[in-house]
């Protein structure tokens, strides 16, 4: 089975591990969000791509869900001793090596897709990992606090401010002019099913879909999504803060409607949202436990998504 | 007393520590060699400036004379896991932070002299440390071995090949068009004495002197050098391989003659070379123990250099 998944960071990566567990023979292409990417210390950092790569490649810090296992922080401390910031974005020594290799390749002229492929030569994640675009797209957030109204990089809002300051608006800067990375549209067109993992529907999946050409290519396929909202709250992360910013209620049903029936064919919601099961304006909604407590449980969620997609294609 | 010293790496840095010990009140400007600088992993590395900065700032690995104390090598191992080289140039995690800060500042448009000053804000080496030039000068070495005749970066010859392959020639590429860094000529002109520490006379002091304007400015001052050659062999390092490449014998006398009486006023040689004491074609040669066994002994060598300079000025 040929599967394409549009993935953000932690939630997406954990779901993908379940997907591999559910169908070890599946040919999986992951289109990763790059709107979270940021340049720090002169190095290009791609948090979502790295989280997928480390998670599927066995290098992830399992407890926190991002960053490397057995990490050390010598560089962070040294940079602080030089009073070079920012200090709010934690980078470990092992992780730094990834960013050094990536930056060196980017500066040598390789596109991000080629760089990602080279990094995956080491990690062998068992999926084809593609950035959504080789062009730079950066998610910026307009906030307003004591310092006034201003746009900040998504990471500053998310990591430094913990999304505690309300977002007035969220924009994927550069998306309009971005092109899908080589292989993205081809993989979607060749896919039997496109899966939307329980990633952030605004700043992860939404950003990927904002790259011209991707949404229409996805909409032409059988698409099944897994709700990141359970019982009116995000399973993890702060997706509610993003949904509020774009005027969407934090509910499994509202997120499905936000994706739209033109895009989504099937939608898995948690048993807490079982009332939604059935038909939701053309979207087939099915309820089952959605907590990704371990690989087994996550595999069963992924299995249910594949099964629903197969049914909808038939 | 206003002192300018032209310094390479380990030998120069150790001598400078002795100079500070000998005259704690001296106003010392160090003009550092940047011909050894190299870009690796996309980062700009200045081995000689860093060795001086770490040594005088208390961060040096005392045993090896270069690199940081209490160093770890997580990044090196991670880069090797990515199969990204070279592996022959050892960089520790703490050291990496210096190169990251430097590269970020250089790419932001700051000249190397400003970057070096910023790095020294942390290390407070007690001297004013200036790169010889803000322009890029790279020492290349023409070698010939089984792989044929070719030019390699100095570091490749020195570190990877251990200078075991004979050098056909050595060139400071870019030196002709380089300008002394801001403050270099002014410091030399204002100096009471210019000291040539026992650094490599070819690829350290020689490279600094090859930047247009520096040699003539130095020659106009009272200049005392400390021989890096004792009894026909380098005290440390492989200066003999460099001297041979430029057709100079590995002897204390030959190095003095290579610097020339137009440049050098006084020359300290080791007691092993006491036969040279007296006048050497216009250069006043004095013999004393030159082994820098500890800070005390090194301080006495520096004291002797200062005293000889004072005598010659009088």
């Amino acid at each position: 089975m040929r599967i394409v998944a549009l993935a953000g960071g932690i939630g997406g990566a954990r779901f993908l591990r379940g997907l591999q567990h559910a169908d070890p023979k599946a040919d999986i292409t992951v289109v990763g969000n790059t709107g979270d990417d940021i340049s720090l210390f002169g190095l290009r950092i791609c948090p979502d791509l790295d989280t997928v790569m480390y998670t599927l490649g066995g290098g992830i810090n399992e407890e926190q869900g991002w960053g490397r296992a057995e990490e050390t922080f010598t560089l962070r401390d040294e940079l602080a001793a030089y009073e070079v910031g920012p200090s709010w974005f934690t980078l470990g020594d092992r992780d730094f090596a990834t960013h050094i290799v990536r930056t060196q390749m980017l500066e040598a002229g390789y596109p991000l897709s080629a760089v990602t492929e080279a990094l995956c030569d080491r990690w062998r994640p068992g999926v084809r990992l593609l950035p959504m675009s080789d062009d730079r797209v950066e998610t910026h957030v307009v906030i307003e606090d004591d310092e006034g109204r201003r746009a900040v990089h998504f990471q500053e809002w998310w990591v430094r401010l913990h999304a505690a300051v309300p977002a007035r608006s969220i924009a994927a800067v550069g998306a309009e002019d971005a092109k899908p990375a080589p292989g993205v549209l081809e993989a979607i067109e060749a896919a039997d099913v496109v899966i939307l993992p329980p990633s952030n529907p605004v700043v992860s999946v939404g950003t990927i879909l904002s790259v011209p050409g991707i949404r229409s290519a996805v909409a032409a396929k059988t698409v099944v999504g897994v709700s990141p909202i359970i019982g009116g709250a995000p399973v993890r992360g702060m997706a509610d803060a993003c949904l509020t910013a774009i005027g969407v209620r934090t509910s499994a049903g509202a997120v499905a409607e936000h994706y739209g029936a033109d895009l989504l064919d099937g939608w898995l919601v948690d048993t807490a949202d079982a009332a939604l099961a059935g038909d939701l304006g053309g979207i087939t909604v099915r309820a089952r436990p959605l907590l990704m407590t371990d690989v087994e449980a996550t595999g069963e969620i992924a299995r249910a998504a594949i099964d629903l997609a197969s049914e909808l294609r038939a």
Side-chain angles (χ1 to χ4, degrees), chain A residues 19 57 59 70 87 92 110 140 151 156 173 182 185 223 225 250 279 282 290 295 306:
Chain A
L19 190 59
E70 297 171 23
S87 60
Y110 291 94
H140 286 209
E156 188 171 353
V173 179
L185 295 183
V223 181
T250 302
D279 178 76
L290 288 189
V295 175
I306 293 171

Side-chain angles (χ1 to χ4, degrees), chain A residues 184-206:
Chain A
V184 167
L185 295 183
E186 294 81 351
I188 294 168
E189 278 157 25
D192 297 308
V193 53
V194 176
I195 292 182
L196 311 186
S199 289
N200 190 308
V202 183
V203 296
S204 294
V205 178

